[in-house]
Amino acid sequence: MGKTDPSAERHKQQSMILVPFNSPGVEVIRHLPVFGYDHAPNGHAEVHYKNVRVPISNILLGEGRGFEIAQGRLGPGRIHHCMRAIGAAERALELMIKRANSREAFSSKLIDMETIREQIAESRIDIEQARLLTLHAANKIDREGAKAARKEIAMIKVAVPRVSIRVIDRAIEVFGGAGVTNDFPLAAHYANARTLRIVDGPDKVYLRDIARMEIREQI
């Protein structure tokens, strides 16, 4: 995606162009691990384009429609991110309970300790709140379209990764040192959940937008 007409209307300056991976001038400089996790040969990479040329027919949908394409997937894409984050939180809670039921400290099972039970309860409350907010956003997209659901999408993009991080963090505490190793999926899920607070825009941008829309509705 790149700017093809700086003089056009604000949202029609960008275009999306399909560039075959084997095009002359395309060079993958290096793969970029995220939180130390190397997803090569897929995942993220630093890619250089040097005098790359492709046919004009490789422009998707037409010149100036890049922003439109991006926005078309971002709303549903954020729903997808949140669904995965909720799934990770559910898995973390499941592992937390199993681990607490199998570990003993001070001659009693962790599962019988009041502090552990509070963490389990808090996690279930967090997950259900996040799930219902996500379902609400998805329902509004279905009924009115992604544009009408901008505030709801922004809210889940902030709320759900935070919930996922909280639940996974509680599970890591129950696991102790094992929780931050690769023997269990918690460390990887935590890294993914933290990354979600950046992808498709950081929390601060969404908080600004949520406030702006809320003020507009009430003033």
Side-chain angles (χ1 to χ4, degrees):
M1 182 168 175
K3 187 167 290 193
T4 51
D5 186 0
S7 63
E9 295 178 51
R10 183 180 178 186
H11 296 112
K12 294 183 179 180
Q13 296 180 3
Q14 297 81 18
S15 299
M16 279 197 182
I17 303 171
L18 188 64
V19 180
F21 199 64
N22 60 355
S23 299
V26 176
E27 182 183 5
V28 178
I29 303 300
R30 62 190 174 117
H31 291 283
L32 299 172
V34 176
F35 271 103
Y37 291 95
D38 188 356
H39 299 130
N42 303 303
H44 299 276
E46 178 184 350
V47 182
H48 284 193
Y49 299 86
K50 186 175 181 179
N51 298 323
V52 180
R53 301 181 67 87
V54 295
I56 196 169
S57 58
N58 283 31
I59 292 182
L60 302 179
L61 283 187
E63 186 174 353
R65 300 185 69 178
F67 187 82
E68 174 188 347
I69 297 169
Q71 288 299 114
R73 71 148 291 278
L74 280 175
R78 288 164 187 146
I79 292 278
H80 179 244
H81 284 319
C82 291
M83 289 163 59
R84 290 166 49 227
I86 291 168
E90 282 283 11
R91 179 66 173 142
L93 178 56
E94 177 187 350
L95 290 170
M96 185 199 310
I97 293 172
K98 287 182 178 178
R99 184 73 167 184
N101 196 42
S102 66
R103 287 189 71 189
E104 288 190 5
F106 307 109
S107 302
S108 61
K109 280 188 175 183
L110 293 185
I111 198 75
D112 295 325
M113 295 181 177
E114 194 64 28
T115 55
I116 299 298
R117 294 200 168 204
E118 283 184 10
Q119 290 184 50
I120 291 169
E122 293 283 5
S123 296
R124 173 49 61 200
I125 293 168
D126 279 344
I127 291 170
E128 293 308 318
Q129 288 176 331
R131 190 195 315 279
L132 288 171
L133 189 58
T134 303
L135 285 169
H136 173 61
N139 181 55
K140 189 160 185 178
I141 289 177
D142 285 344
R143 290 186 294 107
E144 303 179 40
K147 188 173 182 180
R150 280 182 58 207
K151 186 170 74 170
E152 288 74 15
I153 293 169
M155 288 191 291
I156 63 170
K157 180 58 175 60
V158 173
V160 177
R162 288 180 176 180
V163 162
S164 190
I165 288 171
R166 283 201 300 270
V167 175
I168 296 167
D169 187 68
R170 292 178 189 130
I172 289 174
E173 286 290 320
V174 172
F175 271 75
V180 294
T181 70
N182 288 336
D183 288 351
F184 299 95
L186 295 173
H189 285 326
Y190 187 94
N192 288 334
R194 184 60 185 87
T195 305
L196 278 181
R197 294 186 61 191
I198 298 172
V199 299
D200 289 347
D203 286 1
K204 295 298 184 183
V205 172
Y206 289 100
L207 291 170
R208 179 201 64 187
D209 291 344
I210 293 165
R212 182 184 298 161
M213 287 182 276
E214 186 69 19
I215 292 168
R216 186 186 304 139
E217 289 172 9
Q218 299 203 32
I219 295 181

